[in-house]
Amino acid sequence: MSFLDIFTVPFMLNAFIGGLLVSVLLSVLSFFIYVKKWSFINVGISHAAFGGLAIGFFAGINPTLTGSIFAVLVGMLIGYISKKGKIHEDLTIGILLSFSMAFGVVLISFSNNYNSDLFAFLFGNILTITKEDLIYISIFTVFTIGFLLKYFDKILYCCFDEDLAHIGAVNTNFLYYSVITLKAIATVLSIKLVGSILSAAMIILPAAVSSQLAWHYKKIITLSIIFSLIIVSAGIILSFYFNLPSGSTIVILYSIVFFVIVLGKRLF
């Protein structure tokens, strides 16, 4: 099958469109995760989403809805504890991460398709991306970009110095929890492509790679989007031709690019 013939296969077309939309969505959010140093919080939320998906699957409710709600609630809890500082942030994330994953596995174990459902939730399955999913992702991507553009300066202000931003009459709590909410929902929407375990990497890697080549925020965001579009497309094509898990293939490619750039900077 030639390259162009791929687009005649309905699920591959859905995968490509979904992959490109998710690339833009996660790349934009990646910048704020990078600046705020939220990598571990990001991992906690992405793993927590698995428990929410399992609830929807077990109860016969749309997993995207239950996954989003569950991930947002866990993200809010992590964010609240992180701000209050009464319990060490790493400890809280570790406990919630472990509980959510274990809870999700137990629920899915009651399914007749235990192995296939578990694998799809954990590592993604491009076969499951539907036109309905594309509509959800499109709407949320437009909303997220619009929200971030409207509050970009204030969010960036909070990322660098939240206390000073608060003194400067910025509603820091609103922006703090809003970004967590956007990140949590984006994670759930990306799970069908890369899975709950690898969705965290897809938000961390774009800015991590781009920040090696640029320092200005506009260049970092632009490069993040470009890298993601290319790598996600390449990952989907390779996974189709060689029958590989799409999410794992994409993350491996992204990681290789990261290490090549880092080593290249050291050598040259």
Side-chain angles (χ1 to χ4, degrees):
M1 180 180 288
S2 67
F3 173 73
L4 293 177
D5 289 336
I6 293 178
F7 297 99
T8 63
V9 182
F11 77 83
M12 283 302 297
L13 183 59
N14 288 343
F16 256 101
I17 296 173
L20 297 181
L21 288 170
V22 167
S23 296
V24 175
L25 174 62
L26 299 187
S27 296
V28 174
L29 287 171
S30 177
F31 171 74
F32 297 100
I33 301 299
Y34 168 75
V35 173
K36 191 65 175 175
K37 294 181 174 59
W38 268 357
S39 295
F40 195 44
I41 291 179
N42 176 56
V43 172
I45 294 175
S46 65
H47 284 65
F50 178 76
L53 291 169
I55 291 173
F57 186 81
F58 178 75
I61 305 172
N62 186 340
T64 301
L65 175 62
T66 57
S68 297
I69 294 173
F70 194 81
V72 168
L73 291 175
V74 171
M76 292 287 188
L77 181 58
I78 292 174
Y80 177 80
I81 293 173
S82 175
K83 286 176 73 70
K84 297 302 179 181
K86 293 183 178 180
I87 303 176
H88 197 280
E89 180 182 292
D90 291 352
L91 178 63
T92 305
I93 295 172
I95 293 172
L96 290 173
L97 183 158
S98 303
F99 168 78
S100 300
M101 292 295 292
F103 179 66
V105 171
V106 169
L107 284 183
I108 291 179
S109 68
F110 290 103
S111 167
N112 293 326
N113 299 316
Y114 172 73
N115 290 328
S116 60
D117 295 329
L118 180 63
F119 190 84
F121 279 154
L122 290 176
F123 303 106
N125 185 352
I126 58 175
L127 293 172
T128 62
I129 297 178
T130 64
K131 290 183 179 180
E132 187 180 45
D133 292 323
L134 297 181
I135 293 173
Y136 292 149
I137 297 171
S138 300
I139 293 173
F140 186 71
T141 299
V142 172
F143 173 80
T144 299
I145 293 175
F147 180 88
L148 294 177
L149 285 174
K150 181 178 180 179
Y151 295 104
F152 187 90
D153 291 340
K154 292 181 179 179
I155 295 174
L156 198 59
Y157 195 1
C158 292
C159 287
F160 283 109
D161 196 327
E162 191 171 345
D163 292 333
L164 191 60
H166 180 70
I167 295 173
V170 175
N171 191 341
T172 55
N173 282 333
F174 167 72
L175 295 176
Y176 180 86
Y177 290 111
S178 292
V179 173
I180 287 179
T181 300
L182 294 175
K183 182 262 171 285
I185 297 175
T187 296
V188 175
L189 293 176
S190 67
I191 280 177
K192 285 191 175 182
L193 181 68
V194 295
S196 61
I197 289 180
L198 300 177
S199 61
M202 283 301 298
I203 295 185
I204 296 171
L205 282 166
V209 171
S210 301
S211 62
Q212 300 299 313
L213 301 174
W215 62 271
H216 193 276
Y217 71 87
K218 288 184 179 179
K219 292 183 179 179
I220 291 176
I221 294 174
T222 301
L223 286 174
S224 294
I225 293 173
I226 293 172
F227 274 120
S228 292
L229 290 174
I230 294 172
I231 293 172
V232 169
S233 298
I236 292 174
I237 293 170
L238 288 174
S239 66
F240 177 78
Y241 277 114
F242 297 100
N243 194 28
L244 301 170
S246 58
S248 301
T249 305
I250 291 168
V251 172
I252 288 173
L253 288 177
Y254 230 135
S255 300
I256 290 173
V257 170
F258 174 76
F259 288 117
V260 167
I261 291 176
V262 170
L263 290 175
K265 286 182 64 179
R266 290 182 176 274
L267 294 174
F268 302 102

